[in-house]
Amino acid sequence: MSSIKRHISGPVHSRVVEHGELVFCAGTTADNRAASCKAQTEEILKKIDTFLALAGTDKSRLLSATIWLADINEKEQMDAAWKAWVDPDNKPARACVESRLGTPDTRVEIMVTAAK
């Protein structure tokens, strides 16, 4: 049985979970909720870089991403930040949907899975 490692655990979830050769990063939102969708996305992607590094991997090893937008009309803003960040030779499978998020000023939330 392979071990499970949990990082940055709080009262309801762990930010990063490692199992075997997989790394799961919890849905991540920006701290600066007054920022635009693009700026929130940029902040989230920096956090994801940190989470992946904590587990010994990086964005070139992404397998999948799920992105939730409070307003699908802001997809272009999110995509601009995403395209500037994602490894162009190693894009993950990705879904992007509109959803009501945890707070009214949260514009975007992103969850990723990566290989080690």
Side-chain angles (χ1 to χ4, degrees):
M1 180 184 286
S2 57
S3 66
I4 298 171
K5 293 181 187 174
R6 301 176 199 283
H7 305 277
I8 316 172
S9 294
V12 297
H13 71 289
S14 296
R15 285 269 161 220
V16 181
V17 176
E18 297 179 60
H19 182 289
E21 293 299 310
L22 295 176
V23 176
F24 303 88
C25 295
T28 303
T29 59
D31 295 324
N32 183 358
R33 302 266 171 76
S36 68
C37 181
K38 182 179 181 199
Q40 285 193 22
T41 302
E42 291 166 343
E43 181 185 334
I44 292 164
L45 296 173
K46 286 179 187 173
K47 287 182 177 184
I48 289 172
D49 281 333
T50 301
F51 298 154
L52 294 172
L54 179 66
T57 191
D58 62 53
K59 65 185 173 186
S60 73
R61 308 280 294 155
L62 286 179
L63 301 172
S64 68
T66 304
I67 302 169
W68 294 271
L69 294 171
D71 182 351
I72 200 69
N73 293 312
E74 295 184 329
K75 185 176 180 293
E76 258 185 65
Q77 286 185 54
M78 181 279 300
D79 274 337
W82 177 268
K83 289 174 187 175
W85 174 80
V86 75
D87 183 326
D89 297 323
N90 296 293
K91 296 178 193 108
R94 190 185 99 167
C96 181
V97 298
E98 182 178 61
S99 179
R100 189 175 334 167
L101 300 176
T103 65
D105 50 356
T106 299
R107 312 298 322 140
V108 61
E109 182 169 345
I110 302 174
M111 182 172 156
V112 300
T113 302
K116 287 190 132 195

